[in-house]
Amino acid sequence: GLCPALKEDIEIFLDQSVTDYVNFIKQYKEDTATLKNAEKLKKCADDKFTEEDKESIKSLLKKIEASIAC
């Protein structure tokens, strides 16, 4: 399966605010460039992803978690 930090990252990225996501990233890397990049990436995703896109990503993650190969 996915490591817990990555799984949490994806969940926050898809379902929470830009501020929440940047604060999550800040736990691991607190330099300005990384945080600005995380903010830019999250804003872009929020503007582009539809709810259907998000559900497709979540479905894929569930399949990965359920796979015996992982």
Side-chain angles (χ1 to χ4, degrees):
L2 298 173
C3 74
L6 179 58
K7 191 173 178 182
E8 184 179 9
D9 182 300
I10 295 168
E11 289 171 359
I12 293 170
F13 185 79
L14 292 176
D15 295 327
Q16 295 188 26
S17 71
V18 172
T19 302
D20 291 336
Y21 183 68
V22 171
N23 286 335
F24 175 76
I25 296 300
K26 196 182 287 187
Q27 297 177 75
Y28 300 98
K29 187 90 173 178
E30 198 171 340
D31 70 90
T32 304
T34 299
L35 297 177
K36 284 184 179 182
N37 190 52
E39 180 179 1
K40 184 178 176 181
L41 181 64
K42 174 67 173 135
K43 285 179 179 179
C44 180
D46 285 352
D47 289 344
K48 303 285 182 182
F49 286 173
T50 65
E51 285 305 313
E52 185 178 312
D53 294 333
K54 292 177 183 181
E55 289 305 314
S56 293
I57 294 166
K58 291 175 188 177
S59 177
L60 174 62
L61 293 175
K62 286 179 185 174
K63 289 178 184 177
I64 291 170
E65 286 286 310
S67 172
I68 60 171
C70 293

